[in-house]
Amino acid sequence: MTALPDIPRLYTALAEWLACLLYILTLRRRFGAAVTAVVSGLVLAALGAFLQLTGGVPLAWWIPCMAAAVALMYGYLCLCCAVSPRDAGYCCARTFILAEFAASLEWQLHCYLWPARGGGHPLALALLAAVYGGVYAFVYWFEFRRVRRNPDLGITRRALFSAVVMALAAFAVSNLAFTQKGQSTMNVFYIRTLVDLAGVLVLSIQQEQLLEARLHRELEAMNNVLYHQYEQYQQSRESIRLINRHCHDLKLQIAAIRAEKDPGKQAAALDQMESGIRMYEAQNKTGNPVLDTLLTAKSLYCQQHDINFTCVADGHLLDFMPTGDICTIVGTALDNATESVLTLADAEKRLIRTAIYAQHGFVMLRFENYCETPVALDRDGMPPRGYGVRTVKAAAEKYGGTVTVHCEEEWFILRVLIPHRN
């Protein structure tokens, strides 16, 4: 068969750049849109110039030049994406094989349709735009949208090693025939395209497994939070029952003392003690026994740890919720707030405010805690790795509710809005 020309180096540079750009548009970016665009333009120019200048190097220098191009891709990802070096290495392995497949497929179609035309012909450029646009649009639609919803890859060393080995194996096998001159036939292009496609599929399956594993870890963490909240509720209910019994015993003791003696000062002290007991019994009486239990337990905890906790709540608004969901939403939100303020050295800044009230046919649950450092949020508006907030969100969504998080004037504010049900 007639030997065919190899892929133009600028085509390869564009394929590699576009593959990297997919991840940059998907993951959290380190810079704003303007800076990212400038850096991307410089990288495209550098990558194209490097591959074009090294297109005629001897075979012995071919692999080092490809390694340098991959290193440039890796640096591009590290510079523009706010990810760890390990995550960037995994993305680089995937983008490299994806670029190899896109470039191989496009040039194979080019050689099949117009083997005598160069890469600068208008029809060749139109085919380039169609194939690259189709491949990268499909990959983004089929796979990268899920990565965009969960931008924290959390790649392990084992996953990185596997991805690099598979990428190198696919690249070596697909380019084996090109190590001998005069072997660039259509059959060789078929083999290269199929092997690169297999590499893309294998790495996609690996990423699917990584996403599934991470989802299982998140679900396990959320289940642990739910179990902890329900267990804590059971313990708090028993503790409050004992406290109420002690309060009743104290009142009986006070009545007995009054029956025996009645000095003026002692009577005043006893009146003050009884008034304090009534105030204690009256606090956190929201009308919902589950909410009363949770709020009383949190109040006791805050008193023990020098936390100023204030709450205004209409518990009847949550009567439609089962015990588990009230524990999940209220208990988890307050746990997050107490854990946050306990990190503050100044006890006067350990402030938590909670309110539960009706608002235009909805139930608003608002949790605020003082926060000196603003919390970074991901694309979904959630704290990264914030399993507690995600647990609250999952519980609220069962009732068609929404959860919003933001920082405002050194306050971390969590709002839960749920349609009211009678």
Side-chain angles (χ1 to χ4, degrees):
M1 298 181 67
T2 304
L4 299 172
D6 200 2
I7 304 173
R9 306 290 281 179
L10 292 179
Y11 279 25
T12 302
L14 180 61
E16 293 172 350
W17 180 78
L18 288 173
C20 291
L21 192 61
L22 271 185
Y23 266 111
I24 291 172
L25 295 177
T26 302
L27 302 175
R28 284 196 300 272
R29 293 193 293 272
R30 195 179 301 274
F31 309 112
V35 176
T36 302
V38 172
V39 173
S40 298
L42 294 175
V43 170
L44 176 60
L47 195 58
F50 176 77
L51 291 181
Q52 188 70 15
L53 292 174
T54 59
V57 298
L59 183 61
W61 286 93
W62 178 63
I63 292 180
C65 289
M66 290 301 300
V70 173
L72 184 58
M73 295 169 63
Y74 176 75
Y76 180 33
L77 291 169
C78 286
L79 182 61
C80 292
C81 297
V83 296
S84 66
R86 190 182 300 169
D87 288 355
Y90 174 80
C91 296
C92 185
R94 294 212 60 207
T95 55
F96 178 65
I97 291 301
L98 178 60
E100 286 286 306
F101 167 69
S104 179
L105 176 64
E106 191 281 332
W107 194 245
Q108 180 181 333
L109 293 175
H110 175 94
C111 292
Y112 179 79
L113 297 173
W114 313 296
R117 291 176 178 171
H121 193 277
L123 289 177
L125 295 177
L127 180 64
L128 175 71
V131 174
Y132 281 12
V135 169
Y136 291 117
F138 175 78
V139 171
Y140 180 84
W141 175 83
F142 182 75
E143 181 176 348
F144 278 65
R145 289 186 305 167
R146 288 176 295 171
V147 177
R148 187 180 181 89
R149 291 194 295 266
N150 299 279
D152 296 315
L153 299 177
I155 301 299
T156 62
R157 292 182 180 179
R158 184 176 180 179
L160 174 60
F161 178 77
S162 300
V164 171
V165 169
M166 286 186 287
L168 291 176
F171 175 73
V173 173
S174 64
N175 289 273
L176 184 62
F178 291 92
T179 58
Q180 300 179 7
K181 293 186 177 181
Q183 297 297 319
S184 301
T185 63
M186 187 59 71
N187 288 334
V188 172
F189 279 120
Y190 287 147
I191 294 173
R192 177 165 65 177
T193 303
L194 290 175
V195 172
D196 288 337
L197 176 60
V200 171
L201 293 177
V202 169
L203 290 174
S204 296
I205 292 173
Q206 183 198 26
Q207 179 154 311
E208 183 69 23
Q209 292 175 341
L210 293 174
L211 290 175
E212 289 291 334
R214 186 178 62 182
L215 179 60
H216 284 303
R217 290 195 299 270
E218 291 181 355
L219 289 176
E220 184 178 356
M222 292 174 65
N223 286 333
N224 290 336
V225 171
L226 293 175
Y227 178 78
H228 172 72
Q229 288 299 328
Y230 187 76
E231 188 178 53
Q232 191 178 60
Y233 163 73
Q234 295 288 358
Q235 295 173 354
S236 300
R237 186 176 64 176
E238 180 63 19
S239 299
I240 292 172
R241 186 184 67 80
L242 294 174
I243 291 173
N244 289 333
R245 189 178 68 181
H246 289 319
C247 290
H248 180 69
D249 293 340
L250 284 174
K251 287 192 291 185
L252 293 178
Q253 293 174 10
I254 292 171
I257 293 174
R258 278 183 169 174
E260 295 177 1
K261 300 178 181 180
D262 192 21
K265 292 184 179 180
Q266 188 176 25
L270 291 175
D271 288 341
Q272 185 178 3
M273 183 185 299
E274 188 175 11
S275 176
I277 292 174
R278 289 198 186 101
M279 289 177 60
Y280 177 79
E281 287 183 321
Q283 71 176 356
N284 296 326
K285 297 298 183 180
T286 66
N288 185 295
V290 177
L291 186 61
D292 293 345
T293 300
L294 286 174
L295 293 178
T296 301
K298 299 302 180 186
S299 298
L300 293 173
Y301 180 86
C302 290
Q303 291 175 12
Q304 295 171 356
H305 294 82
D306 296 325
I307 298 174
N308 187 348
F309 173 63
T310 58
C311 177
V312 178
D314 182 358
H316 290 297
L317 296 173
L318 302 182
D319 287 342
F320 66 92
M321 282 190 184
T323 299
D325 290 338
I326 296 177
C327 292
T328 298
I329 296 175
V330 179
T332 303
L334 291 177
D335 278 350
N336 289 346
T338 53
E339 289 177 6
S340 176
V341 297
L342 281 176
T343 61
L344 301 174
D346 188 354
E348 294 183 356
K349 295 183 178 180
R350 296 177 182 175
L351 306 173
I352 298 177
R353 301 187 302 217
T354 301
I356 301 175
Y357 52 93
Q359 185 179 65
H360 305 300
F362 290 84
V363 179
M364 171 66 78
L365 298 93
R366 184 183 175 106
F367 305 92
E368 304 177 359
N369 64 270
Y370 189 82
C371 181
E372 291 181 329
T373 305
V375 178
L377 304 178
D378 59 20
R379 292 177 183 271
D380 296 329
M382 296 287 109
R385 304 185 185 278
Y387 297 126
V389 178
R390 296 182 190 278
T391 303
V392 173
K393 182 179 179 182
E397 287 176 346
K398 291 170 55 178
Y399 303 94
T402 59
V403 173
T404 57
V405 176
H406 73 281
C407 294
E408 181 179 304
E409 296 180 353
E410 297 186 326
W411 282 87
F412 179 85
I413 302 174
L414 169 66
R415 292 190 182 96
V416 183
L417 192 64
I418 301 175
H420 182 249
R421 300 183 183 182
N422 297 322

